[in-house]
Short mmCIF file of all heavy atoms in Angstrom, two decimals:
data_model
loop_
_atom_site.label_atom_id
_atom_site.label_comp_id
_atom_site.label_asym_id
_atom_site.label_seq_id
_atom_site.Cartn_x
_atom_site.Cartn_y
_atom_site.Cartn_z
N ASP A 1 -35.41 8.01 15.66
CA ASP A 1 -35.49 7.24 16.92
C ASP A 1 -35.45 8.13 18.13
O ASP A 1 -36.19 8.05 19.09
CB ASP A 1 -34.53 6.16 17.02
CG ASP A 1 -34.86 5.14 18.27
OD1 ASP A 1 -36.10 4.85 18.45
OD2 ASP A 1 -33.96 4.94 18.95
N VAL A 2 -34.44 9.16 18.07
CA VAL A 2 -34.40 10.08 19.15
C VAL A 2 -35.64 10.88 19.23
O VAL A 2 -36.18 11.17 20.33
CB VAL A 2 -33.20 11.02 18.98
CG1 VAL A 2 -33.12 12.20 19.95
CG2 VAL A 2 -31.84 10.20 19.07
N ARG A 3 -36.16 11.34 18.15
CA ARG A 3 -37.46 12.05 18.21
C ARG A 3 -38.61 11.28 18.82
O ARG A 3 -39.38 11.73 19.64
CB ARG A 3 -37.80 12.63 16.86
CG ARG A 3 -36.82 13.59 16.20
CD ARG A 3 -37.39 14.44 15.14
NE ARG A 3 -37.76 13.47 13.97
CZ ARG A 3 -36.93 13.12 12.93
NH1 ARG A 3 -35.72 13.64 12.92
NH2 ARG A 3 -37.43 12.43 11.93
N ARG A 4 -38.71 10.03 18.29
CA ARG A 4 -39.74 9.21 18.89
C ARG A 4 -39.69 8.91 20.25
O ARG A 4 -40.60 8.91 21.10
CB ARG A 4 -39.78 7.91 18.10
CG ARG A 4 -40.32 8.05 16.68
CD ARG A 4 -40.40 6.67 16.02
NE ARG A 4 -41.03 6.85 14.63
CZ ARG A 4 -40.64 6.35 13.50
NH1 ARG A 4 -39.61 5.43 13.51
NH2 ARG A 4 -41.26 6.52 12.45
N ARG A 5 -38.42 8.66 20.76
CA ARG A 5 -38.13 8.40 22.20
C ARG A 5 -38.51 9.58 23.05
O ARG A 5 -39.13 9.44 24.11
CB ARG A 5 -36.71 8.01 22.46
CG ARG A 5 -36.26 6.65 21.81
CD ARG A 5 -34.89 6.27 22.00
NE ARG A 5 -34.51 5.96 23.55
CZ ARG A 5 -34.76 4.88 24.11
NH1 ARG A 5 -35.19 3.85 23.37
NH2 ARG A 5 -34.45 4.70 25.41
N THR A 6 -38.20 10.67 22.56
CA THR A 6 -38.48 11.99 23.25
C THR A 6 -40.02 12.20 23.36
O THR A 6 -40.51 12.40 24.45
CB THR A 6 -37.92 13.27 22.54
OG1 THR A 6 -36.45 13.05 22.45
CG2 THR A 6 -38.24 14.50 23.29
N ARG A 7 -40.67 11.87 22.22
CA ARG A 7 -42.10 11.99 22.24
C ARG A 7 -42.85 11.13 23.31
O ARG A 7 -43.80 11.50 23.96
CB ARG A 7 -42.70 11.79 20.83
CG ARG A 7 -44.05 12.23 20.69
CD ARG A 7 -44.65 12.12 19.26
NE ARG A 7 -44.72 10.80 18.78
CZ ARG A 7 -43.92 10.31 17.77
NH1 ARG A 7 -43.12 11.15 17.14
NH2 ARG A 7 -44.01 9.07 17.36
N VAL A 8 -42.32 9.87 23.32
CA VAL A 8 -43.04 8.96 24.37
C VAL A 8 -42.39 8.94 25.69
O VAL A 8 -42.74 8.05 26.55
CB VAL A 8 -43.12 7.59 23.78
CG1 VAL A 8 -43.86 7.54 22.49
CG2 VAL A 8 -41.74 6.96 23.57
N GLY A 9 -41.36 9.83 26.02
CA GLY A 9 -40.83 9.88 27.36
C GLY A 9 -39.72 8.92 27.61
O GLY A 9 -39.46 8.73 28.91
N LEU A 10 -39.14 8.30 26.72
CA LEU A 10 -38.01 7.36 26.95
C LEU A 10 -36.67 8.18 26.95
O LEU A 10 -36.56 9.31 26.33
CB LEU A 10 -37.97 6.27 25.79
CG LEU A 10 -39.05 5.32 25.89
CD1 LEU A 10 -38.96 4.40 24.59
CD2 LEU A 10 -38.98 4.44 27.07
N PRO A 11 -35.69 7.72 27.64
CA PRO A 11 -34.53 8.47 27.78
C PRO A 11 -33.66 8.54 26.47
O PRO A 11 -33.64 7.61 25.62
CB PRO A 11 -33.68 7.61 28.82
CG PRO A 11 -34.09 6.32 28.85
CD PRO A 11 -35.65 6.44 28.33
N ILE A 12 -33.06 9.67 26.22
CA ILE A 12 -32.19 9.88 25.06
C ILE A 12 -30.75 10.17 25.46
O ILE A 12 -29.84 10.29 24.65
CB ILE A 12 -32.63 10.98 24.11
CG1 ILE A 12 -32.75 12.34 24.86
CG2 ILE A 12 -34.07 10.70 23.56
CD1 ILE A 12 -32.99 13.57 23.97
N ARG A 13 -30.45 10.18 26.73
CA ARG A 13 -29.01 10.24 27.18
C ARG A 13 -28.24 9.09 26.71
O ARG A 13 -28.70 8.02 26.66
CB ARG A 13 -29.07 10.32 28.72
CG ARG A 13 -27.75 10.85 29.31
CD ARG A 13 -27.76 11.14 30.74
NE ARG A 13 -26.45 11.51 31.23
CZ ARG A 13 -26.04 11.54 32.41
NH1 ARG A 13 -26.95 11.16 33.38
NH2 ARG A 13 -24.82 11.84 32.71
N TYR A 14 -27.01 9.31 26.39
CA TYR A 14 -26.28 8.38 25.77
C TYR A 14 -26.48 8.24 24.27
O TYR A 14 -25.76 7.43 23.55
CB TYR A 14 -26.15 7.05 26.47
CG TYR A 14 -25.79 7.24 27.96
CD1 TYR A 14 -26.82 6.78 28.90
CD2 TYR A 14 -24.72 7.80 28.43
CE1 TYR A 14 -26.57 7.03 30.26
CE2 TYR A 14 -24.45 8.06 29.82
CZ TYR A 14 -25.40 7.67 30.66
OH TYR A 14 -25.16 7.86 31.95
N LEU A 15 -27.46 8.73 23.76
CA LEU A 15 -27.80 8.82 22.34
C LEU A 15 -27.37 10.17 21.68
O LEU A 15 -26.99 10.21 20.54
CB LEU A 15 -29.25 8.53 22.01
CG LEU A 15 -29.80 7.26 22.58
CD1 LEU A 15 -31.26 7.07 22.21
CD2 LEU A 15 -29.07 6.03 21.92
N VAL A 16 -27.47 11.23 22.43
CA VAL A 16 -27.15 12.60 22.04
C VAL A 16 -26.24 13.06 23.22
O VAL A 16 -26.16 12.67 24.27
CB VAL A 16 -28.35 13.51 21.84
CG1 VAL A 16 -29.30 12.96 20.80
CG2 VAL A 16 -29.16 13.74 23.13
N PRO A 17 -25.42 14.18 22.90
CA PRO A 17 -24.57 14.85 23.99
C PRO A 17 -25.61 15.34 24.98
O PRO A 17 -26.71 15.77 24.73
CB PRO A 17 -23.95 15.94 23.18
CG PRO A 17 -23.92 15.60 21.70
CD PRO A 17 -25.10 14.72 21.52
N ARG A 18 -25.07 15.25 26.22
CA ARG A 18 -25.86 15.77 27.38
C ARG A 18 -26.40 17.19 27.10
O ARG A 18 -27.58 17.50 27.37
CB ARG A 18 -25.22 15.77 28.62
CG ARG A 18 -25.98 16.12 29.85
CD ARG A 18 -25.31 15.68 31.12
NE ARG A 18 -26.32 15.90 32.24
CZ ARG A 18 -26.21 15.33 33.39
NH1 ARG A 18 -25.18 14.57 33.73
NH2 ARG A 18 -27.11 15.63 34.27
N SER A 19 -25.61 18.11 26.50
CA SER A 19 -26.01 19.46 26.26
C SER A 19 -27.12 19.45 25.26
O SER A 19 -28.02 20.38 25.43
CB SER A 19 -24.82 20.29 25.79
OG SER A 19 -24.30 19.75 24.63
N VAL A 20 -27.15 18.63 24.32
CA VAL A 20 -28.25 18.49 23.37
C VAL A 20 -29.43 18.02 23.97
O VAL A 20 -30.64 18.57 23.75
CB VAL A 20 -27.89 17.69 22.15
CG1 VAL A 20 -29.01 17.39 21.21
CG2 VAL A 20 -26.64 18.37 21.40
N ALA A 21 -29.35 16.90 24.83
CA ALA A 21 -30.54 16.40 25.51
C ALA A 21 -31.20 17.57 26.43
O ALA A 21 -32.40 17.72 26.47
CB ALA A 21 -30.15 15.25 26.42
N ASP A 22 -30.33 18.34 27.13
CA ASP A 22 -30.84 19.43 27.97
C ASP A 22 -31.48 20.50 27.12
O ASP A 22 -32.60 21.03 27.53
CB ASP A 22 -29.70 20.09 28.79
CG ASP A 22 -29.18 19.13 29.81
OD1 ASP A 22 -29.79 18.07 30.15
OD2 ASP A 22 -28.08 19.45 30.31
N TYR A 23 -30.99 20.84 25.91
CA TYR A 23 -31.53 21.70 24.98
C TYR A 23 -32.94 21.27 24.58
O TYR A 23 -33.97 22.14 24.46
CB TYR A 23 -30.63 22.07 23.82
CG TYR A 23 -31.18 23.11 22.94
CD1 TYR A 23 -30.75 24.47 23.09
CD2 TYR A 23 -31.98 22.85 21.88
CE1 TYR A 23 -31.07 25.46 22.21
CE2 TYR A 23 -32.43 23.82 21.03
CZ TYR A 23 -31.99 25.15 21.25
OH TYR A 23 -32.42 26.17 20.41
N ILE A 24 -33.05 20.02 24.18
CA ILE A 24 -34.39 19.52 23.74
C ILE A 24 -35.39 19.63 24.84
O ILE A 24 -36.51 20.05 24.53
CB ILE A 24 -34.18 18.05 23.23
CG1 ILE A 24 -33.28 17.93 21.93
CG2 ILE A 24 -35.48 17.37 23.14
CD1 ILE A 24 -32.86 16.59 21.56
N ALA A 25 -35.01 19.29 26.07
CA ALA A 25 -35.92 19.43 27.10
C ALA A 25 -36.34 20.87 27.40
O ALA A 25 -37.48 21.23 27.56
CB ALA A 25 -35.34 18.73 28.34
N ALA A 26 -35.30 21.70 27.46
CA ALA A 26 -35.58 23.19 27.81
C ALA A 26 -36.42 23.81 26.82
O ALA A 26 -37.25 24.71 27.10
CB ALA A 26 -34.23 23.83 27.99
N ASN A 27 -36.38 23.33 25.56
CA ASN A 27 -37.19 24.01 24.56
C ASN A 27 -38.39 23.18 24.00
O ASN A 27 -39.04 23.67 23.07
CB ASN A 27 -36.27 24.30 23.28
CG ASN A 27 -35.24 25.41 23.50
OD1 ASN A 27 -35.50 26.54 23.35
ND2 ASN A 27 -34.05 24.94 23.92
N GLY A 28 -38.61 22.11 24.72
CA GLY A 28 -39.81 21.36 24.39
C GLY A 28 -39.88 20.83 22.94
O GLY A 28 -40.94 20.69 22.41
N LEU A 29 -38.69 20.38 22.49
CA LEU A 29 -38.64 19.93 21.08
C LEU A 29 -39.13 18.45 21.09
O LEU A 29 -38.74 17.66 21.95
CB LEU A 29 -37.23 20.04 20.53
CG LEU A 29 -36.60 21.42 20.42
CD1 LEU A 29 -35.16 21.37 19.78
CD2 LEU A 29 -37.58 22.45 19.57
#
């Protein structure tokens, strides 16, 4: 679900640690 939300632009904050959300965004995962 986290991957799908990322792909369609929905928020993942409060689902993953903030540092992980930032890493996903910074690396385009």
Side-chain angles (χ1 to χ4, degrees):
D1 188 46
V2 171
R3 295 193 301 268
R4 287 186 177 137
R5 292 177 69 84
T6 301
R7 191 173 65 240
V8 299
L10 291 173
I12 59 171
R13 194 168 174 198
Y14 309 116
L15 301 178
V16 300
R18 183 166 188 164
S19 58
V20 171
D22 290 346
Y23 184 93
I24 288 169
N27 289 277
L29 300 183

